[in-house]
Amino acid sequence: MNCTDLLSHLSDYFDDQLTTELREEISEHTAGCQHCRVVLNTTHQTIEVYKGNEIYEVSPGLRERLHSAIMAKCLAKR
């Protein structure tokens, strides 16, 4: 198992569609690969956030600061 192999199985990993052998290979690979460990953890966290499908209310002040920061980044890239 290498990083490319892991990425090709990422969707099946989270859909619990892998064989026991492939799951073990991924586990062995991520034990020694910080990059892939981060990919798995970040993907898992993202799925958990969206799975809840919760709407987070933010204050108008925070909304304005976020909007301004995003717009500043967009304009800077032009």
Side-chain angles (χ1 to χ4, degrees):
M1 175 74 55
N2 60 38
C3 300
T4 303
D5 294 335
L6 183 136
L7 291 175
S8 72
H9 294 295
L10 197 59
S11 182
D12 289 337
Y13 177 86
F14 285 106
D15 289 339
D16 202 22
Q17 299 294 313
L18 294 179
T19 64
T20 302
E21 293 79 19
L22 270 175
R23 224 171 234 293
E24 288 173 3
E25 286 182 41
I26 287 174
S27 180
E28 289 172 14
H29 176 75
T30 55
C33 181
Q34 173 68 20
H35 174 75
C36 286
R37 212 169 28 252
V38 168
V39 168
L40 284 182
N41 290 337
T42 303
T43 305
H44 174 73
Q45 290 171 356
T46 302
I47 290 169
E48 289 302 310
V49 165
Y50 284 99
K51 186 169 37 172
N53 213 14
E54 297 178 32
I55 297 174
Y56 296 96
E57 294 295 326
V58 295
S59 69
L62 177 57
R63 183 183 323 267
E64 181 58 37
R65 289 193 307 276
L66 286 171
H67 182 265
S68 295
I70 291 168
M71 292 307 296
K73 289 281 186 182
C74 290
L75 294 173
K77 291 191 180 224
R78 286 186 181 176

